[in-house]
Amino acid sequence: MFKGIYNGKQCHVSDIATVLSRAWTAGVDRIIVTGGSLEESKEALTIAETDARLFCTVGVHPTRCKEFEESGDPDKHFQALLSLAKEGIEKGKVVAIGECGLDYDRLQFCPAEIQKKYFEKQFELAHAMKLPMFLHMRAAAPDFCEIVERNRSRFSAGVAHSFTGSAEDRDKLLSISNMYIGVNGCSLKTAENLDVVRSIPIERMMIETDSPYCGIKNTSAGIKFVKSTWPSKKKEKYDQECIVKDRNEPCLVRQVLEVVAGCKGISEIGQLSRTLYHNTCRVFFPQDLDSAADSLLAGHDPQ
């Protein structure tokens, strides 16, 4: 999954094609562009329509949930999300509701009560559209898990992405049926992070980049397991042949795979890749499970 990769000063106008080309060359099969607001969800759908391998989500990030009330008509705002999700499904592009959830690390952007109100509201979207959920949980595990459990019958499956929680938080998520845990560079920063990730069952894990954020830094505890590298340059010296320094990209999901394999002591990285890919298909592309299985049998290593 990636988000906002082409916004503001993150890249040059021509960068979309370059970033995607690097991803496809690296073996990435599909990319999910995540929406964090109504307008971002519209943009995500527009981007997804440019390539058959791109998909997207529709939803409102917890730090943006004030947009429901600031719109002047929360119900109308919700209906706009519902209409957009329906449009995206009809186009074969929207594969989940999200990014939604709770973020108590950044309450300066949206109070907890508003976050909880509209997190719960978005389960109505998942239920109406029969979609899984792409979820966000930061320093809010008790409230998050309580709301998810209360609405468990209203969505098919979900992933708590960019997981940075404790072992206790991990175990709470794993106790919820059909809930997966998403791992990226932010999940692999410290030795404690690696200990927590080490005990996530592979069958309940997904990997992601969350680019342009959450890259694996040289200071990350997991860097010792990274084997794949790409040339990089500062954005002031932009070069299409190089990654922009300190900007994460979808192709770098390979590094996340390497760190997960390393911290778990897994030598068969191809098998690990296949299992994680199957998990992703099971949640977001269930209609393709047969073709995914065929790919696995053929020995293809999707990332």
Side-chain angles (χ1 to χ4, degrees):
M1 296 80 175
F2 69 77
K3 64 179 68 169
I5 198 166
Y6 313 119
N7 293 342
K9 296 181 180 179
Q10 288 290 344
C11 69
H12 291 229
V13 174
S14 62
D15 210 27
I16 292 177
T18 302
V19 169
L20 292 178
S21 176
R22 234 182 328 260
W24 310 141
T25 300
V28 174
D29 279 1
R30 311 180 214 201
I31 294 173
I32 300 174
V33 186
T34 57
S37 66
L38 175 58
E39 287 306 310
E40 276 191 7
S41 296
K42 291 177 181 177
E43 293 172 4
L45 179 56
T46 297
I47 292 172
E49 290 183 86
T50 65
D51 192 293
R53 296 162 290 188
L54 295 178
F55 301 87
C56 66
T57 71
V58 169
V60 180
H61 190 279
T63 61
R64 316 276 188 81
C65 278
K66 286 200 294 186
E67 74 173 43
F68 282 95
E69 298 184 358
E70 290 174 348
S71 71
D73 190 337
D75 289 336
K76 184 177 180 181
H77 199 74
F78 176 83
Q79 288 300 320
L81 286 165
L82 188 66
S83 296
L84 182 64
K86 184 176 181 180
E87 176 190 350
I89 290 170
E90 290 172 350
K91 292 177 176 179
K93 289 297 181 180
V94 171
V95 296
I97 297 302
E99 177 180 356
C100 56
L102 299 176
D103 189 326
Y104 291 176
D105 271 346
R106 291 178 281 181
L107 293 174
Q108 69 270 31
F109 297 114
C110 185
E113 291 307 311
I114 292 179
Q115 289 190 33
K116 288 191 285 186
K117 178 179 180 179
Y118 292 106
F119 177 29
E120 191 132 23
K121 183 70 175 175
Q122 290 180 80
F123 285 95
E124 293 182 28
L125 287 175
H127 183 66
M129 297 292 99
K130 296 181 172 59
L131 287 175
M133 300 194 76
F134 184 69
L135 299 164
H136 179 105
M137 184 185 82
R138 270 297 176 275
D143 286 350
F144 177 94
C145 291
E146 179 184 342
I147 291 172
V148 171
E149 288 279 22
R150 187 161 61 241
N151 291 277
R152 184 60 199 85
S153 64
R154 305 173 85 185
F155 67 104
S156 58
V159 58
H161 98 111
S162 193
F163 180 72
T164 59
S166 66
E168 182 181 1
D169 295 342
R170 173 199 66 208
D171 294 342
K172 284 180 181 177
L173 291 173
L174 292 173
S175 72
I176 301 171
S177 61
N178 288 331
M179 178 65 69
Y180 293 76
I181 296 178
V183 173
N184 60 32
C186 286
S187 313
L188 307 167
K189 287 182 177 180
T190 68
E192 181 183 1
N193 290 153
L194 296 185
D195 286 341
V196 172
V197 168
R198 191 173 290 116
S199 295
I200 301 173
I202 296 302
E203 295 75 17
R204 299 286 296 278
M205 182 188 291
M206 295 185 197
I207 58 173
E208 58 172 337
T209 59
D210 202 33
S211 58
Y213 316 109
C214 296
I216 298 174
K217 309 294 186 183
N218 288 333
T219 54
S220 298
I223 192 68
K224 61 187 176 183
F225 298 116
V226 171
K227 299 176 182 177
S228 301
T229 59
W230 279 259
S232 65
K233 289 185 178 181
K234 293 181 178 180
K235 61 182 180 181
E236 293 81 6
K237 298 181 179 180
Y238 180 76
D239 182 341
Q240 285 193 338
E241 300 302 315
C242 299
I243 287 175
V244 175
K245 186 174 177 60
D246 296 325
R247 185 187 74 176
N248 202 4
E249 287 195 15
C251 66
L252 296 176
V253 71
R254 176 80 187 189
Q255 294 184 340
V256 180
L257 177 67
E258 291 166 352
V259 176
V260 170
C263 81
K264 281 181 165 287
I266 296 174
S267 58
E268 292 293 329
I269 196 168
Q271 181 58 49
L272 173 62
S273 173
R274 289 188 284 271
T275 299
L276 296 172
Y277 182 72
H278 190 268
N279 294 344
T280 305
C281 286
R282 183 180 297 280
V283 174
F284 298 115
F285 306 102
Q287 72 280 6
D288 293 345
L289 279 177
D290 289 342
S291 59
D294 290 342
S295 176
L296 301 187
L297 290 172
H300 175 51
D301 288 348
Q303 296 172 18

